[in-house]
Structure formats: C-alpha cells, structure tokens
Amino acid sequence: METKVLHEITPLDEHDFMYVADRHKKEFTYPIHCHELIELNFVEHAAGCRRVMGDSSEVIGDYDLVLITSPQLEHVWEQHECHSEDIHEVTIQFRLNFEDEQSPFKTNPYSSIYKMLMRAKKGLAFPMPAIMQVYPRIIGLSKIKEGFLGVQELFSILYELSRFDDARELASSAFAKVDVESDSRRVLKVKSYIENHYKDDLRLSQLADLVGMTPSAFSRFFKLRTGKNLAEYIVDVRLGFAARRLVDTSDSVAEICYCCGFNTLSNFNRLFRKRKGCNPTEFREKYCKTKIIL
C-alpha cells in the first residue's frame, strides 16, 4: 500500500506564533492530514459531518470543538451526511513547545493547561458546556488585530477549556503513539505491561499477580480506575495497534489480526467493526486517501 504524502507550507512565518482561519462554506473538501502546529478546531452548523481522529470516527452534532497537539495524529472532517448550506469553521493553529523542560507550562499556574495539552495528543473533544462557554471568544479571536492581545486571549481560552475534566480523548494511545498514563502506580504498571505484551495471551490472574492483588480485587480496582473492565481494555489496545498497522504497513488483514493478539479473523473483524464502525479493509481504504502534512 502506497500513501502519497504532500507537503504544504504553513502560513506562519518563522517569527509568527499563530493564525486564525474563520470561514463559512457548504462542504468539507480537505483530505485527511496531520501537521506540526497545534490546532484548536471549532465547527458549527455541520450536523451529520463525520470527524475522523486517528482511529476514532464519530458523526458530530451542530457544534464540535477539538484540540490536537500531536504532529503525527491524522485527522479530517468529512461531509458524510451533512447537508448544511452554511458550515462555520474556525481553525486556530499555533506553535507551542509545551513539553520542553524549561517550558512555563510545566509550572503550577499552567498545570491544568499542560495536562490538557498532553491529553490532546490523542485529540480532545470538548463537551457542550465548554463549547458554549468559549464560543463567542473563539468567534472573536479572528477580529483581534494586536498580536499580543490575541495570544493572551488564546491562552485564556485554553485555560477555560482546561477546567472541563470531562473532555474526551478520541484516538487510542497505540494509534496515536502516546505513552500510557495513570494516576495509579498499579494501573500504570499493568497498562505498560499490556502495551508491551499485547501480542501475547494475557490473563487476569497473571496481571493481578503483577501488582500483588487477587484477580477479583484487581478486576474491580481496574474498572474503578479506568472505567473499563480489563478484557475491554486489552481489546482496545490490540485494536489500536492493529489500526496503526493497517495505516502504516501493507500487511494483510489476516497477518495484522494474528500479530496483534487476536485468535481468529472473524472475531477480529467483528470487534473492529463494533469499535471502529467499519471493517479493517474499509478503515485502510479510508486512510489510503491522499494525506497532507502541513
């Protein structure tokens, strides 16, 4: 499988920080792509549009707001079943090296923004209350002509968004190539083990032994801390790695199925369709479209 990658020059000059594109249109035509710049993308009046973020695919409602901080995360908004005659989209792209050791975002005043930026490596979709809170400020951002004030306003918007803990991560860690995280040392230890051994036969008793718990106690503990039972989590990790291989390699679906820890092709296809909304072949074909790296 060959994927054509086009390189497009960013509209930012060397010393520029951000740009804002505020536009009204009748359809989404831009292909699936990724880029170095951080992006906050707001869409309204586009119900029925399909948003693809890594291995996540969702049909959006009237309002959508997503933050993307990974240069490797492919994404696109597709027309799908959107029939709006006036789609309003505001795209804010900016440079921010928030992971640098000397970055102020690693200090306490910026801690909530830093946490949000890290989560947004997988794409972060904000709930409706968050969208409604920052909606007028995002619309007004393109009208601010003074650069310093515009940057101040952007940081203020990011801070307001960082206060909403119920923003949803979209792509899987495996697909987005993001290290797993957890506020529990025991959960993190098990997650890391699963990431490194997803191809193997993983059993509850074996993983419980890693953290010195009984299987029943660990099962309850894991569900409480992650919101998923262990079997669901393992399937999601395996599907994330499978989706990544569908995009990055020319391996057959059967080869990917067995190398990612699934026992039968029929089970792999069934679980993939259930989680991703399409079968593995359809998923690959979607990503065979032209990609653009900005």
Side-chain angles (χ1 to χ4, degrees):
M1 178 186 67
E2 294 184 359
T3 302
K4 185 178 179 183
V5 180
L6 303 179
H7 294 269
E8 184 175 322
I9 299 174
T10 171
L12 294 184
D13 292 330
E14 180 182 357
H15 300 293
D16 290 334
F17 176 76
M18 74 171 182
Y19 83 95
V20 182
D22 188 331
R23 53 204 178 274
H24 292 262
K25 57 188 184 183
K26 293 186 177 181
E27 61 179 337
F28 293 93
T29 57
Y30 210 66
I32 194 164
H33 62 283
C34 54
H35 42 70
E36 294 292 329
L37 300 176
I38 293 175
E39 178 174 297
L40 183 65
N41 200 65
F42 168 75
V43 179
E44 67 173 333
H45 308 318
C49 160
R50 177 164 53 206
R51 182 208 330 109
V52 177
M53 194 70 50
D55 54 345
S56 164
S57 177
E58 297 179 349
V59 176
I60 67 172
D62 284 326
Y63 297 92
D64 190 53
L65 180 63
V66 172
L67 178 65
I68 310 157
T69 59
S70 170
Q72 302 179 73
L73 185 60
E74 300 95 333
H75 55 278
V76 68
W77 279 257
E78 299 176 331
Q79 193 69 17
H80 192 48
E81 297 177 351
C82 175
H83 304 294
S84 173
E85 291 294 313
D86 183 24
I87 300 166
H88 186 200
E89 184 173 36
V90 182
T91 302
I92 305 162
Q93 292 190 340
F94 55 99
R95 293 190 178 103
L96 193 64
N97 189 5
F98 60 93
E99 293 189 85
D100 187 273
E101 286 302 320
Q102 304 303 317
S103 169
F105 288 90
K106 289 196 172 183
T107 61
N108 289 334
Y110 294 94
S111 60
S112 64
I113 297 179
Y114 177 76
K115 180 180 178 181
M116 177 182 70
L117 294 172
M118 291 296 290
R119 294 181 65 206
K121 287 184 175 184
K122 295 187 280 188
L124 200 62
F126 294 95
M128 188 59 67
I131 296 174
M132 291 298 99
Q133 183 160 320
V134 301
Y135 166 88
R137 300 174 68 180
I138 288 176
I139 301 300
L141 198 57
S142 64
K143 300 177 176 62
I144 300 176
K145 303 304 180 184
E146 173 59 47
F148 177 79
L149 297 179
V151 172
Q152 273 195 320
E153 179 68 355
L154 172 63
F155 284 166
S156 182
I157 290 171
L158 291 176
Y159 173 69
E160 290 300 325
L161 291 174
S162 73
R163 300 171 66 186
F164 288 86
D165 294 331
D166 52 345
R168 293 185 299 109
E169 297 170 7
L170 297 173
S172 66
S173 297
F175 191 94
K177 302 177 182 178
V178 175
D179 292 335
V180 294
E181 295 181 346
S182 175
D183 57 0
S184 164
R185 287 185 293 107
R186 285 181 288 189
V187 169
L188 180 58
K189 185 175 183 178
V190 170
K191 282 186 172 183
S192 298
Y193 186 88
I194 293 170
E195 291 276 325
N196 292 322
H197 298 84
Y198 66 92
K199 300 178 182 180
D200 302 336
D201 182 21
L202 298 171
R203 298 184 179 277
L204 173 59
S205 58
Q206 167 197 8
L207 298 175
D209 283 344
L210 282 177
V211 291
M213 299 177 70
T214 65
S216 58
F218 176 69
S219 181
R220 292 192 297 270
F221 178 77
F222 190 88
K223 178 68 179 289
L224 180 65
R225 290 291 186 142
T226 67
K228 295 181 181 179
N229 67 45
L230 186 62
E232 290 175 336
Y233 181 80
I234 292 173
V235 166
D236 286 345
V237 169
R238 287 172 172 164
L239 287 176
F241 278 104
R244 188 76 259 175
R245 290 180 70 88
L246 286 166
V247 172
D248 291 345
T249 76
S250 58
D251 295 348
S252 70
V253 171
E255 288 175 316
I256 292 172
C257 161
Y258 295 116
C259 81
C260 288
F262 294 95
N263 294 324
T264 67
L265 185 57
S266 60
N267 189 47
F268 172 59
N269 285 328
R270 180 182 62 81
L271 289 170
F272 198 99
R273 177 178 287 280
K274 181 179 179 181
R275 297 290 210 282
K276 310 297 182 186
C278 61
N279 66 41
T281 300
E282 292 168 338
F283 182 88
R284 170 173 271 171
E285 288 172 351
K286 182 187 302 180
Y287 275 86
C288 279
K289 297 176 182 178
T290 301
K291 296 182 184 179
I292 296 179
I293 297 181
L294 302 178

